[in-house]
């Protein structure tokens, strides 16, 4: 095959989402290059300790950041003394006063460090039955969120080239496009030397063919697709039995290639192949996707249902589109909501929001209900319910237990409706662990090994034992256990006592509020400035977001470009961006813009592609300000996709290296927004002299900002402190230390 032809095939396959670009194997698998060892009590104890330490580090950093934020940008000495008495570490305060940017900059750094706390590397053990004596320690590690692999064979080195292949993209409404799949895999294998092909989407491919995952035909089809990819990648024969399962022709063995085909859990599948609808050899876990106005079936389910029961497809889609109202009835009951003052308009808005996949707290928030409904219908103050709709429900008479039950009822309610609809059409959606193991074992046999099965820690160790017994490797994913009911009740009692003690001491409780860090005067941006460009598609409409930053890395301007829209809409968006930029330069906090515009609802809206953290938006403004909040404020609560070390990871850098702090020197040359507040670990600041001068300049500027009010030369007659400042033009003075008032000495 000519090189140009190979390049064209790979380009087309990557564009269609069939195959990923070439990358290092270590980027796709965090356990790459790790050799399996024997499981021992010492190894498990160390695993528990490292997982607990990572979690505690993140929690403590967030707590310290909140304590600093309560102080504001320029606290007085008396306020700092109170903070020290309340438990603020002295060393941290000294560091905050020393660093450029002061208190708030230190708080931002702590929050960024908490978000970027690296997850401990996975523990890799030899695949063998777990000793009964070690089971308690193993379960304890999993409850702390540890990641454990039981491997039959060692994994390839991290530097090996690899590509991810989504087999489901080879199934179209016209059937299985084997020619396209074979050509793409053949080109990829020829392009990589000693490369690795990682298969995924087998469960979705079987569904798209109109087959049940656990049926004999479905298992045979999955194994046959795995064998076909192996044949195209390595030159191995494609047997007649496998060919019969797919209705294809058998293939003789050809020239051998040192390529390896595997099935294993990928570190960040959404970033690699965002359209993939199932992982590895696992079944389809979710059959719903959320579009512009309502949920719908995923691509594989639509194609499979069209092949199996085409007459039922329109009815199923309509039933799923109206699932939001059913969710609301299941969760809280529309009659109970009406009795507590919710009008039909409010119920309609909440139902549509739930149908679009928003959680309960967002569906009942101010941004969905609107100020008019909250103030006039519910008789509440809208400003008190900006972010969390649980407060609205609580104010309308729903208990904490009612809200918790409603959230539990909504968890997977739409999926349950869709699953029932598919089952009524003959699809078997529920898959048992035994069926999943049978499917994986068939694929493992077709590939000659190299299959790793993901096992949720919630399923216990039985499934992992069964996987190992069948000659497969197992990947156990831990889940950090939440606080129990006893802990939550105790914390509620402690907080109540704290409020009582504060009232008795006549000390008003402080809350984390934003304190304006900039003056009312406009701060001009530098002529040559940093920033980033984010391209995304919202509901099918391309949006280009350009940002400009101050020298310290804070956001100072935005530009919005939607070049295919009409002139009126495009002009409105451009002028809105200008107005926002002017507000930022006059000191309006970005938090205020975020609170004002997130979850606003107007078209275009719907699915978001091209952004690594946001998958859907209720409007262009909702997308823009959630993106800015995630990039510049560390607001991971406004993102649907977790790419932190606590979730799916950040790729090649998260295996062994610690993330570097985002220093003041780096802020001068690196866009804080582009790196999402995380300093790339391949950046080294060499110009130490320039950095020192800049630090001294920033300290002088901060000192000038903190000099208000200016202290007089005379000492206080009461306490002797040189903290006396003028409070009137007539010579009246006050002491900042003891509060004693007097007059200027003549």
């Amino acid at each position: 095959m000519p090189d140009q032809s190979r390049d064209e095939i790979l380009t087309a396959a990557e564009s269609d989402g069939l195959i990923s670009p070439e990358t290092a194997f270590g980027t796709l698998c965090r356990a790459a290059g790790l050799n399996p060892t024997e499981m021992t009590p010492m190894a498990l104890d160390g695993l528990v300790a490292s997982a607990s330490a990572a979690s505690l580090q993140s929690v403590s950093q967030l707590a310290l950041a909140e304590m600093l934020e309560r102080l504001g940008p320029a606290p007085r000495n008396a306020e700092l003394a109170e903070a020290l008495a309340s438990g603020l570490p002295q060393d941290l305060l000294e560091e905050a006063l020393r660093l450029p940017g002061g208190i708030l900059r230190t708080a931002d750094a702590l929050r960024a460090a908490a978000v970027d706390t690296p997850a401990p590397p996975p523990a890799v053990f030899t695949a063998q039955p777990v000793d009964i004596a070690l089971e308690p320690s193993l379960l304890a590690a999993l409850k702390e969120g540890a990641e454990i692999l039981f491997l039959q064979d060692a994994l390839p080195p991290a530097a090996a080239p690899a590509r991810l292949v989504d087999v489901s993209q080879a199934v179209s409404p016209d059937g299985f496009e084997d020619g396209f799949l074979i050509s793409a895999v053949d080109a990829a294998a020829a392009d990589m030397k000693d490369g690795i092909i990682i298969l995924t989407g087998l469960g979705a491919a079987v569904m798209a063919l109109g087959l049940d995952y656990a049926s004999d035909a479905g298992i045979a089809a999955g194994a046959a697709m795995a064998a076909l990819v192996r044949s195209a990648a390595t030159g191995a024969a494609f047997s007649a039995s496998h060919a019969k399962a797919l209705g294809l022709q058998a293939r003789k063995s050809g020239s051998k290639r040192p390529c390896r085909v595997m099935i294993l859990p990928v570190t960040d599948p959404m970033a690699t192949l965002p359209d993939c609808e199932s992982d590895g050899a696992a079944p389809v876990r979710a059959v719903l996707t959320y579009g512009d106005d309502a949920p719908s079936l995923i691509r594989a389910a639509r194609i499979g249902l069209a092949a199996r029961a085409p007459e039922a497809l329109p009815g199923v889609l309509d039933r799923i589109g109206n699932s939001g109202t059913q969710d609301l009835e299941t969760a809280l009951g529309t009659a109970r909501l009406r009795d507590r003052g919710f009008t039909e308009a409010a119920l309609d808005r909440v139902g549509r929001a739930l149908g679009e996949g928003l959680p309960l707290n967002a569906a009942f928030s101010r941004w969905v209900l609107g100020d008019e409904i909250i103030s006039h219908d519910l008789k509440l103050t809208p400003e008190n319910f900006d972010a969390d709709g649980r407060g609205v429900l609580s104010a309308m008479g729903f208990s904490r237990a009612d809200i918790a039950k409603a959230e539990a009822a909504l968890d997977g309610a739409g999926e349950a409706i869709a699953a029932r609809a598919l089952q009524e059409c003959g699809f078997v959606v529920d898959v048992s662990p035994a069926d999943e193991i049978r499917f994986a074992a068939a694929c493992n046999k077709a590939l000659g090994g190299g299959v790793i099965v993901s096992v949720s820690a919630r399923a216990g160790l039985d499934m992992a034992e069964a996987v190992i017994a069948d000659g497969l490797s197992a990947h156990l994913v831990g889940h950090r256990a939440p606080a129990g009911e006893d802990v939550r009740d105790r914390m509620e009692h402690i907080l109540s006592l704290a409020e009582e003690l504060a009232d008795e001491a006549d000390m008003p409780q402080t809350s984390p509020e934003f304190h304006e860090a900039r003056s009312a005067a406009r701060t001009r941006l530098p002529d040559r400035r940093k920033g980033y460009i984010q391209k995304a598609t919202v509901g099918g409409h391309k949006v280009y977001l350009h940002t400009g930053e101050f020298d310290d890395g804070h956001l100072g301007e935005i530009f919005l470009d939607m070049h295919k829209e009409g002139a009126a809409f495009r002009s409105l968006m451009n002028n809105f961006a200008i107005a926002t930029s002017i507000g930022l330069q006059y000191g309006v906090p970005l938090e205020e813009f975020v609170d004002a515009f997130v979850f606003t609802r107007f078209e275009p809206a719907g699915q978001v592609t091209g952004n690594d953290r946001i998958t859907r938006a209720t409007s262009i403004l909702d997308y823009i300000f959630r993106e800015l909040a995630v990039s510049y404020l560390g607001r991971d609560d406004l993102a649907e996709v977790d790419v932190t070390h606590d979730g799916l990871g950040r790729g090649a850098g998260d295996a062994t290296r610690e993330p570097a702090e985002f220093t003041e020197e780096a802020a001068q040359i690196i866009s804080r927004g582009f790196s999402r507040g995380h300093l790339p670990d391949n950046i080294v600041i060499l110009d130490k002299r320039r950095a020192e001068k800049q630090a001294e300049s920033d300290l002088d500027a901060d000192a000038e900002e903190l000099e208000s009010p200016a202290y007089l030369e005379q000492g206080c007659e009461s306490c002797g402190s040189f903290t006396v400042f003028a409070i009137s033009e007539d010579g009246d003075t006050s002491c900042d230390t003891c509060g004693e008032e007097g007059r200027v000495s003549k």
Side-chain angles (χ1 to χ4, degrees), residues 397-606:
F398 289 94
S399 66
R400 189 179 69 174
D402 291 334
I403 298 171
K405 290 179 180 178
E407 290 179 325
L410 286 175
D411 187 18
E415 284 291 331
I417 294 171
R420 285 196 298 271
L422 290 175
Q423 287 174 349
E424 293 171 2
C425 298
F427 267 107
V428 179
V429 180
D430 295 330
V431 178
S432 67
D435 291 331
E436 188 172 347
I437 294 173
R438 280 205 308 137
F439 192 103
C443 295
N444 189 67
K445 184 178 179 181
L447 295 177
V451 175
I452 302 177
V453 180
S454 279
V455 180
S456 174
R458 295 189 178 100
L461 301 179
D462 292 340
M463 185 175 177
E465 294 274 7
V467 169
I468 296 172
D470 272 21
L472 304 170
S473 299
H475 175 232
L476 276 71
V477 184
H479 298 276
R480 185 167 176 81
E485 189 67 27
D486 56 338
V487 175
R488 291 195 296 269
D489 291 342
R490 187 173 182 182
M491 283 299 303
E492 186 175 350
H493 183 61
I494 292 172
L495 292 173
S496 178
L497 289 176
E499 293 177 359
E500 294 177 2
L501 292 173
D503 293 338
E504 292 175 1
D506 198 22
M507 294 173 52
Q509 290 186 294
T510 60
S511 58
E513 298 178 352
F514 182 86
H515 298 266
E516 216 172 33
R518 301 185 183 275
S519 65
R522 185 175 184 179
T523 304
R524 297 284 182 178
L525 285 159
D527 293 333
R528 191 177 183 91
R529 64 202 64 162
K530 308 182 304 298
Y532 71 95
I533 302 175
Q534 174 71 60
K535 174 188 175 184
T537 302
V538 180
H541 297 257
K542 288 184 179 179
V543 182
Y544 292 83
L545 169 65
H546 304 241
T547 69
E549 301 173 7
F550 294 102
D551 286 335
D552 61 4
H554 285 84
L555 181 65
E557 67 178 3
I558 62 172
F559 294 94
L560 301 176
D561 187 11
M562 301 181 67
H563 63 281
K564 291 187 177 181
E565 306 299 327
F569 186 85
R570 186 169 65 249
S571 298
L572 284 172
M573 296 302 293
N574 288 339
N575 284 278
F576 175 84
I578 293 172
T580 302
S581 302
I582 293 174
L584 291 169
Q585 294 165 31
Y586 271 98
V588 178
L590 178 58
E591 291 93 328
E592 296 294 327
F593 287 110
V594 171
D595 290 340
F597 295 112
V598 294
F599 298 128
T600 51
R601 302 166 61 86
F602 60 87
E603 299 295 327

Side-chain angles (χ1 to χ4, degrees), residues 205-525:
V206 170
M207 177 177 282
L209 292 173
L211 303 173
D212 291 326
Y213 178 89
S215 66
D216 292 340
I219 293 174
M225 286 185 282
L228 182 63
V229 172
R230 177 174 179 258
S231 174
T234 66
F238 182 57
S239 67
S241 60
H242 286 145
K244 183 180 179 182
L246 295 174
L248 304 176
Q249 296 293 323
R251 291 163 54 95
K252 295 182 179 180
S253 60
S255 57
K256 301 295 183 181
R257 293 197 186 102
C259 188
R260 188 173 178 183
V261 182
M262 305 182 68
I263 300 176
L264 49 81
V266 179
T267 301
D268 192 356
M270 289 296 298
T272 310
L273 287 177
D275 295 330
C276 189
E277 295 173 340
S278 68
D279 297 329
V284 173
R285 307 292 188 188
V287 297
L288 286 185
T289 183
Y290 295 89
D292 296 344
D293 299 315
S296 184
L297 288 175
I298 60 174
R299 174 183 178 272
R302 290 198 310 273
I303 295 176
L305 191 58
R308 191 164 184 167
E311 70 285 349
L313 181 59
V316 172
L317 294 177
D318 183 67
R319 183 174 170 183
I320 293 173
N322 297 322
S323 61
T325 303
Q326 302 176 48
D327 291 345
L328 186 59
E329 181 64 38
T330 303
L332 292 168
T334 53
R336 294 178 66 193
L337 291 168
R338 290 190 188 97
D339 292 341
R340 286 166 169 78
F342 286 87
T343 62
E344 294 300 325
L347 295 177
D348 180 65
R349 292 187 180 186
V350 173
R352 285 191 282 113
L354 292 174
E356 293 173 8
L358 291 180
L360 185 74
N361 65 321
F364 281 92
S365 69
R366 177 186 181 187
W367 315 118
V368 173
L369 291 173
D371 289 358
E372 184 176 354
I373 288 177
I374 293 178
S375 59
H376 292 89
D377 298 340
L378 304 181
K379 310 300 182 185
L380 301 173
T381 304
E383 290 76 12
N384 296 333
F385 307 100
D386 283 349
D388 196 343
R390 299 184 187 92
V392 174
L393 293 172
S394 180
M396 297 307 295
F398 289 94
S399 66
R400 189 179 69 174
D402 291 334
I403 298 171
K405 290 179 180 178
E407 290 179 325
L410 286 175
D411 187 18
E415 284 291 331
I417 294 171
R420 285 196 298 271
L422 290 175
Q423 287 174 349
E424 293 171 2
C425 298
F427 267 107
V428 179
V429 180
D430 295 330
V431 178
S432 67
D435 291 331
E436 188 172 347
I437 294 173
R438 280 205 308 137
F439 192 103
C443 295
N444 189 67
K445 184 178 179 181
L447 295 177
V451 175
I452 302 177
V453 180
S454 279
V455 180
S456 174
R458 295 189 178 100
L461 301 179
D462 292 340
M463 185 175 177
E465 294 274 7
V467 169
I468 296 172
D470 272 21
L472 304 170
S473 299
H475 175 232
L476 276 71
V477 184
H479 298 276
R480 185 167 176 81
E485 189 67 27
D486 56 338
V487 175
R488 291 195 296 269
D489 291 342
R490 187 173 182 182
M491 283 299 303
E492 186 175 350
H493 183 61
I494 292 172
L495 292 173
S496 178
L497 289 176
E499 293 177 359
E500 294 177 2
L501 292 173
D503 293 338
E504 292 175 1
D506 198 22
M507 294 173 52
Q509 290 186 294
T510 60
S511 58
E513 298 178 352
F514 182 86
H515 298 266
E516 216 172 33
R518 301 185 183 275
S519 65
R522 185 175 184 179
T523 304
R524 297 284 182 178
L525 285 159

